[in-house]
Amino acid sequence: QVQLVESGGGLVQAGGSLRLSCRASGSIFSINTMRWYRQAPGKQREFVAAASSGGSTNYVDSVKGRFTISRDNAKNMVFLQMNSLKSEDTAVYYCNADLTARSVVGVSSYWGQGTQVTVSS
């Protein structure tokens, strides 16, 4: 069984920083792309950032220059460093990974349970 668990959310003032972490655990053969999404109250879940297994990254325009995604492939972890936070960054942040589990043929997408980020203005 594969699990993704996020941590690092919390309450921060506008202009502050937070670092989110997500660890994939269980019977994992390989991990392809790892991503962060977020969902604000009353809004659809939106893509935030992605990091491939080869190191390439991409971001939604609204966070470029403020957020940085990184990975520790040895530990099956992905991070999201969030700087210069704004009130509009308030949301539940979800970790997502495309991976191959040892007991499942092919690549499947897995999600974490989410971590709340609240930015006060």
Side-chain angles (χ1 to χ4, degrees), residues 35-94:
R35 306 176 186 87
W36 288 97
Y37 284 78
R38 65 186 179 187
Q39 187 166 19
K43 295 187 176 181
Q44 290 189 330
R45 190 172 299 188
E46 69 166 350
F47 167 81
V48 176
S52 73
S53 57
S56 62
T57 60
N58 64 292
Y59 301 87
V60 67
D61 285 347
S62 60
V63 308
K64 285 180 180 178
R66 300 188 298 122
F67 291 10
T68 302
I69 188 171
S70 60
R71 290 176 60 163
D72 183 335
N73 292 328
K75 296 182 179 179
N76 290 339
M77 295 188 72
V78 63
F79 308 95
L80 187 68
Q81 178 65 44
M82 305 186 294
N83 299 328
S84 302
L85 283 161
K86 305 175 182 180
S87 57
E88 51 262 44
D89 294 319
T90 295
V92 177
Y93 283 71
Y94 296 91

Side-chain angles (χ1 to χ4, degrees), residues 10-23:
L11 174 64
V12 64
Q13 288 189 333
S17 298
L18 281 176
R19 186 180 189 237
L20 304 184
S21 300
C22 171
R23 180 167 187 166

Side-chain angles (χ1 to χ4, degrees), residues 4 24 31-35 95-99 108-111:
L4 270 63
I31 302 178
N32 299 343
T33 301
M34 301 187 81
R35 306 176 186 87
C95 176
N96 167 258
D98 295 337
L99 60 87
S108 299
S109 183
Y110 293 81
W111 291 86

